[in-house]
Amino acid sequence: MSDFPTTGAAMPDIEMGTPDGGTVKASDFVGQKFVVFFYPKDNTPGCTTEAKDFTAFNGDFDAAGVALLGVSKDSAKKHQNFIAKHDLTTPLATDAEE
């Protein structure tokens, strides 16, 4: 049996840190569609492209009523630097314990 969730399975309601010192968890999005994208590390070529692409389409997601959240194990400080360096507008969160 795989440890991967099945399509449509609920996301665990773990609390994750945000770059601004706050927290976010799946239950914050109850009643709203949202996309969570997981990536290994800030400022790597593939992860940077992914985050920039989500930022580029942020307005389209907003217009469709869909919230976005990018998650990696990087610290809040690293997320702050990543956001500033690449002008990201997509919200990020830290799941240090994976």
Side-chain angles (χ1 to χ4, degrees), residues 16-24 69 76 79-80 92-94:
M16 297 174 284
T18 59
D20 63 2
T23 60
V24 65
L69 182 63
H79 281 334
Q80 289 170 349
L92 302 179
T94 299

Side-chain angles (χ1 to χ4, degrees), residues 3-92:
D3 288 338
F4 291 100
T6 58
T7 301
M11 181 177 166
D13 201 31
I14 59 169
E15 189 170 270
M16 297 174 284
T18 59
D20 63 2
T23 60
V24 65
K25 54 188 176 181
S27 61
D28 294 338
F29 300 95
V30 169
Q32 182 179 12
K33 292 180 182 178
F34 76 108
V35 171
V36 179
F37 65 97
F38 296 90
Y39 64 100
K41 189 172 182 176
D42 292 346
N43 288 307
T44 57
C47 298
T48 299
T49 298
E50 181 179 34
K52 289 171 76 173
D53 286 349
F54 274 109
T55 288
F57 290 102
N58 210 0
D60 294 327
F61 282 97
D62 284 345
V66 178
L68 293 171
L69 182 63
V71 179
S72 80
K73 62 182 179 179
D74 289 311
S75 69
K77 181 65 176 164
K78 285 185 180 180
H79 281 334
Q80 289 170 349
N81 293 337
F82 186 46
I83 290 166
K85 182 176 181 178
H86 299 288
D87 297 318
L88 303 177
T89 59
T90 300
L92 302 179

